[in-house]
Amino acid sequence: MPVTNFSHPDPYKYQTGFDSHHETEAVEGALPIGQNSPQKAPYGLYTEKLSGTAFTAPRHENKQTWVYRILPAAAHENFIAEDADSYHTSMTTETHKLHHIPNQLRWNPFDLDEKVDWVHGLHLIAGSGDPTLKQGLGILMYAVGKDMGKEAFYSADGDFLIVPQHGVLDIQTELGRIILRPNEICVIPRGVRYRVTLPDGPVRGYICELYQGHYQLPELGPIGSNCLANPRDFQAPVAAFDDEEESEYKLYSKFNNTLFAARQNHTPFDVVAWHGNYYPFKYDLGRFNTIGSISFDHPDPSIFTVLTGPSDHVGTAIADFVIFPPRWLVAEGTFRPPWYHRNTMSEFMGLISGDYDAKVGGGFKPAGASLHNVMSAHGPDSGAFEGASNAELKPQKVGDGSMAFMFESALMVGVSEWGLKTCQKVQPEYNEHSWKPLKRHFVNPNKKA
């Protein structure tokens, strides 16, 4: 199994299983027996419930976790907007403040930034919807070079799906700690507080923030009960807490794409025990079990879906997270790269490492990105087309040393001012270099010489 081999050891313990009900205690006996909210919780702890869905959500959709902590999360001063105008302007997904254009877009690799921490290293590239209505998504890039101090951050807007491209994230959450490295992903649900430090220096990566619902495993349908991402390979943290008598902390909240801050005189990381099914988790992309054709033609790329954020319309996603890992291609008489395509879904692609087999021209590089919006035509560049059209058709390993991914959405996404202009990474020649060189091969049998 191609599990990623990491040089940086993971010092933390995890529980396994996706959407499972986990229970964990850092002090033996901290979890109440047989009652969620006893009159007096063990060890003088406070009982608090973290609800990720409405109380009345169907049982199979209901997400909630009971935590037993030293002081309640409510014990903080009032929030005050911080850098309100500039932050909201740069992060907003309001339709009239985004650029909606049909052009195919591609970005050169985004820069590292050693001057900022996690809270101030987030940049919106594109998005659609309104977090106040819990509709839509935001696509962000992070570039961070400093540890957070005695601080914590949470987003009230949505779930963060974090895709590292460079560097190691040490994420201290209320519910335990997670080490996150390239070729792993992490989901931090709406409202969960956390702190990011950098044990190996600057980091860079991608985020898909889901305003609507929560990420879940895709249905398998005719595939059956196995393959793709297996539930047992997802990892959730175990309880770990700080015990500080008096300590000044700053708490940041991303609320309607505006940054707020509040002071509190105790650590946010004081959960001694918890149980439930609403928690952060991580997944090693090397454990994804790919499937494909063994006869002819391509199955749709939906067979590479790791996680999905469904819409209210069955089979249509607000956000799908799709990967293109190393894999074998075996098919008779079939053009091997992706076919030319126009999609009612928007496709945002990123590259973690290596080369993507449908873009051999060198313009799509690790830490870069591309966006093919609703019905914007795209497909292999001219070099990939010519090579694949004339290649010997035999079993072939593609993507060795590579990991590309896609955030796919049913929504038309607008590009932020930062993404289109400020970052200065858009390739003006993308279309010209990729598809303008395509040659005419048609021979009309009805045309007289």
Side-chain angles (χ1 to χ4, degrees):
M1 182 171 59
V3 180
T4 311
N5 181 24
F6 294 110
S7 59
H8 193 284
D10 190 335
Y12 305 130
K13 296 180 180 179
Y14 301 94
Q15 308 168 88
T16 60
F18 185 87
D19 205 24
S20 303
H21 185 105
H22 289 310
E23 60 177 51
T24 171
E25 55 187 11
V27 175
E28 187 176 357
L31 278 175
I33 303 297
Q35 192 174 357
N36 291 325
S37 55
Q39 183 181 22
K40 290 186 177 182
Y43 299 111
L45 298 171
Y46 285 87
T47 301
E48 183 175 283
K49 187 178 183 183
L50 182 60
S51 295
T53 54
F55 297 143
T56 52
R59 182 183 288 265
H60 71 279
E61 296 178 0
N62 209 296
K63 290 185 175 292
Q64 61 178 10
T65 288
W66 290 94
V67 302
Y68 304 91
R69 64 190 318 152
I70 297 171
L71 284 170
H76 59 73
E77 297 176 2
N78 284 340
F79 281 101
I80 299 173
E82 183 164 298
D83 301 327
D85 292 337
S86 61
Y87 192 90
H88 183 76
T89 298
S90 65
M91 296 292 283
T92 183
T93 52
E94 295 175 63
T95 300
H96 67 283
K97 294 184 178 179
L98 297 174
H99 300 272
H100 293 83
I101 49 181
N103 292 331
Q104 305 95 331
L105 296 174
R106 188 162 70 186
W107 288 266
N108 287 319
F110 294 95
D111 295 329
L112 293 164
D113 189 344
E114 299 188 12
K115 302 184 299 294
V116 296
D117 63 12
W118 178 262
V119 177
H120 300 93
L122 304 175
H123 300 280
L124 181 79
I125 302 174
S128 179
D130 186 344
T132 69
L133 300 177
K134 295 185 177 178
Q135 295 176 348
L137 80 165
I139 297 171
L140 299 89
M141 191 80 192
Y142 69 84
V144 180
K146 292 171 58 178
D147 291 345
M148 291 175 65
K150 287 202 166 185
E151 300 165 322
F153 171 84
Y154 75 92
S155 176
D157 294 339
D159 289 8
F160 268 38
L161 191 164
I162 304 170
V163 185
Q165 185 276 323
H166 175 84
V168 179
L169 304 175
D170 190 334
I171 306 174
Q172 181 181 16
T173 81
E174 296 177 87
L175 304 182
R177 305 188 71 137
I178 291 174
I179 282 283
L180 188 65
R181 303 154 292 193
N183 279 359
E184 293 180 325
I185 60 168
C186 175
V187 172
I188 301 184
R190 181 197 310 269
V192 172
R193 300 173 180 181
Y194 63 99
R195 172 179 177 265
V196 176
T197 55
L198 316 176
D200 282 355
V203 297
R204 175 177 55 198
Y206 312 82
I207 296 169
C208 188
E209 184 174 17
L210 182 64
Y211 303 154
Q212 188 165 338
H214 300 287
Y215 287 104
Q216 61 188 54
L217 293 176
E219 299 295 340
L220 294 177
I223 295 174
S225 58
N226 297 310
C227 296
L228 309 191
N230 291 311
R232 68 185 293 253
D233 292 327
F234 288 81
Q235 297 178 300
V238 300
F241 69 100
D242 293 339
D243 185 7
E244 302 174 5
E245 293 285 344
E246 289 284 336
S247 188
E248 184 78 13
Y249 267 81
K250 191 172 187 179
L251 176 62
Y252 288 102
S253 173
K254 181 176 177 290
F255 199 92
N256 188 24
N257 283 321
T258 301
L259 187 65
F260 291 82
R263 298 284 180 179
Q264 62 182 59
N265 62 0
H266 60 97
T267 175
F269 308 109
D270 64 352
V271 174
V272 180
W274 61 268
H275 71 89
N277 65 350
Y278 191 64
Y279 43 75
F281 59 84
K282 77 169 187 173
Y283 174 72
D284 182 347
L285 299 180
R287 295 179 180 268
F288 188 80
N289 189 5
T290 55
I291 62 173
S293 175
I294 54 172
S295 54
F296 58 88
D297 284 347
H298 289 275
D300 291 323
S302 49
I303 61 170
F304 300 116
T305 302
V306 181
L307 293 170
T308 183
S311 71
D312 296 332
H313 186 72
V314 175
T316 303
I318 298 301
D320 277 335
F321 175 62
V322 179
I323 63 172
F324 302 98
R327 62 202 182 278
W328 282 93
L329 290 184
V330 181
E332 296 180 6
T334 298
F335 182 71
R336 294 291 177 82
W339 9 258
Y340 292 97
H341 186 45
R342 289 175 293 164
N343 195 351
T344 187
M345 308 279 280
S346 298
E347 302 178 14
F348 177 92
M349 285 197 68
L351 187 60
I352 298 171
S353 59
D355 297 308
Y356 179 52
D357 60 291
K359 292 288 187 291
V360 299
F364 187 44
K365 298 179 180 179
S370 67
L371 174 63
H372 304 133
N373 225 316
V374 172
M375 289 302 172
S376 294
H378 56 283
D381 60 27
S382 57
F385 176 83
E386 295 297 335
S389 298
N390 297 291
E392 180 185 358
L393 292 182
K394 59 182 180 180
Q396 180 184 5
K397 184 74 176 287
V398 299
D400 251 351
S402 174
M403 182 67 77
F405 73 88
M406 182 164 62
F407 299 143
E408 188 174 68
S409 176
L411 305 177
M412 180 182 291
V413 298
V415 183
S416 70
E417 183 74 9
W418 184 89
L420 191 63
K421 299 177 183 178
T422 309
C423 71
Q424 298 182 339
K425 295 298 180 182
V426 173
Q427 299 177 7
E429 72 285 356
Y430 176 37
N431 189 304
E432 181 177 346
H433 283 186
S434 292
W435 301 294
K436 188 175 180 180
L438 288 167
K439 299 176 181 178
R440 176 187 171 102
H441 296 284
F442 178 59
V443 178
N444 189 343
N446 298 321
K447 188 175 181 179
K448 296 181 180 180

